[in-house]
Amino acid sequence: MVLNTPASPPLRGSRPRRRLSVPVLCAGLAVLLAGCSGVSGSVASAVKDSSSAVATARLALRQDMEGKLTRAATATTLDDALREVDTSRSTVQKLSPATREDRDTQRRALEALDACAAAFATARAAVSADDAGSAPTTADGDRALAAAQDALNQLEDKAGGT
């Protein structure tokens, strides 16, 4: 059995309370956080995406060195990962830092992303070489990507501390 009780009438002189819905509150919070993140948030996101791309490329190179992946598949993985790094670099480059700290953050991020692009060039040269001559080896490519990933990790640590 369900009892229906009438709603109590509003008290004289009182205003009805307005409640914000959960979606409206979440949207407001998202706008607030986006406004606060600015350059640091965009750089942190770009660094995280690039770090993931470099890790994927290194995994492909190691599998290639172990004979578990074809050169064509390795080359495709490197190309896809490089595109991700290029997208991140473009995002960081388009930022408009307002403070000296933001400009320094942007500069450091661009330097790290440039190091990633150079490491990818080494890795791609190794994969396209036929293991003869003075071309870099896949181990050289992996070392170059490892150094680039270290630079990204250091930048991520600094961004996380600000």
Side-chain angles (χ1 to χ4, degrees):
M1 177 195 281
V2 176
L3 296 176
N4 288 329
T5 57
S8 57
L11 298 176
R12 238 185 224 184
S14 68
R15 293 184 186 171
R17 289 187 140 188
R18 295 181 189 207
R19 292 185 182 185
L20 293 176
S21 67
V22 172
V24 171
L25 287 173
C26 289
L29 183 58
V31 168
L32 179 63
L33 290 175
C36 292
S37 66
V39 170
S40 296
S42 296
V43 166
S45 178
V47 167
K48 192 170 286 195
D49 292 347
S50 296
S51 184
S52 177
V54 170
T56 300
R58 291 191 65 209
L59 178 62
L61 279 177
R62 284 192 298 266
Q63 287 181 336
D64 180 271
M65 287 186 281
E66 294 170 4
K68 296 178 180 178
L69 197 61
T70 66
R71 288 285 166 124
T74 304
T76 299
T77 301
L78 290 174
D79 289 343
D80 291 347
L82 178 58
R83 268 195 294 282
E84 182 66 40
V85 169
D86 286 342
T87 298
S88 293
R89 188 183 189 294
S90 178
T91 298
V92 171
Q93 193 170 23
K94 290 177 185 174
L95 295 174
S96 299
T99 67
R100 181 182 181 107
E101 182 180 344
D102 285 347
R103 286 188 294 277
D104 288 343
T105 299
Q106 182 187 36
R107 179 188 49 77
R108 286 192 310 268
L110 289 172
E111 288 171 355
L113 293 169
D114 286 344
C116 285
F120 273 102
T122 300
R124 290 169 78 200
V127 169
S128 65
D130 55 2
D131 296 330
S134 62
T137 64
T138 51
D140 294 332
D142 186 52
R143 279 191 293 276
L145 287 171
Q149 192 164 33
D150 286 344
L152 289 172
N153 290 341
Q154 289 174 6
L155 186 61
E156 193 171 14
D157 290 344
K158 283 184 181 183
T162 57

